[in-house]
Amino acid sequence: LKSRLKFDGGYCNEAKKSIHNFNSSEANTIRKVEYYYRLGRIYQCQEKTSLSIQKLTKCVKIQGDAQGYFAPSACLQIAKIKLKNAQKEDASEWLKKVFDYKNYAYQRSLEHQAKAIQLMNDL
């Protein structure tokens, strides 16, 4: 929670310090999913692209088909990173994955963002 609040407040480095002590081997699945999502977002904020994609991808993999907004949001963020790096085809594939998830919090918002990105970038 501390990491989330610090990240949301724009304090990426402080958020990383807060999340650093998390022990993923003792956590349940949803906590692991959130951990990798938050760590991926922190790395994204720090412009550590490869680490960000690695952690966000792990979030998606761990969540699998389970409900929750972390994986579809991670897909959206990976697509944004790919677009920033002029990798339109990869970005398009990640955006499509956002629509594969159903019945989760913020679904409409994430799908609208994905659709807007598709339209603005001819994907």
Side-chain angles (χ1 to χ4, degrees):
L1 180 60
K2 286 181 185 179
S3 179
R4 176 185 179 188
L5 294 173
K6 289 176 181 180
F7 179 83
D8 289 349
Y11 300 98
C12 296
N13 293 329
E14 290 80 0
K16 187 175 181 192
K17 290 175 189 173
S18 294
I19 205 169
H20 184 69
N21 295 329
F22 181 78
N23 185 350
S24 65
S25 64
E26 296 178 6
N28 64 25
T29 302
I30 191 63
R31 293 283 182 221
K32 287 180 186 178
V33 169
E34 183 175 3
Y35 168 75
Y36 286 109
Y37 173 78
R38 302 252 175 246
L39 192 54
R41 295 285 284 136
I42 290 167
Y43 285 133
Q44 182 181 11
C45 176
Q46 296 175 330
E47 296 187 12
K48 296 180 180 178
T49 304
S50 61
L51 285 172
S52 178
I53 290 172
Q54 180 186 45
K55 300 307 179 191
L56 292 169
T57 301
K58 190 157 187 166
C59 163
V60 172
K61 182 179 177 184
I62 293 171
Q63 183 171 321
D65 293 334
Q67 279 189 321
Y69 72 90
F70 294 112
S73 184
C75 292
L76 182 66
Q77 296 307 319
I78 292 170
K80 289 178 180 181
I81 294 167
K82 295 288 186 176
L83 273 175
K84 189 175 180 180
N85 291 308
Q87 298 171 323
K88 282 182 117 175
E89 288 181 30
D90 288 344
S92 179
E93 292 303 314
W94 282 103
L95 287 172
K96 289 176 188 175
K97 292 179 184 197
V98 173
F99 299 100
D100 291 342
Y101 295 92
K102 302 293 178 210
N103 302 317
Y104 59 89
Y106 315 115
Q107 180 176 350
R108 290 181 70 138
S109 174
L110 291 174
E111 287 180 351
H112 285 155
Q113 289 178 61
K115 191 66 174 169
I117 290 169
Q118 286 175 326
L119 291 172
M120 290 186 328
N121 294 282
D122 296 320
L123 300 176

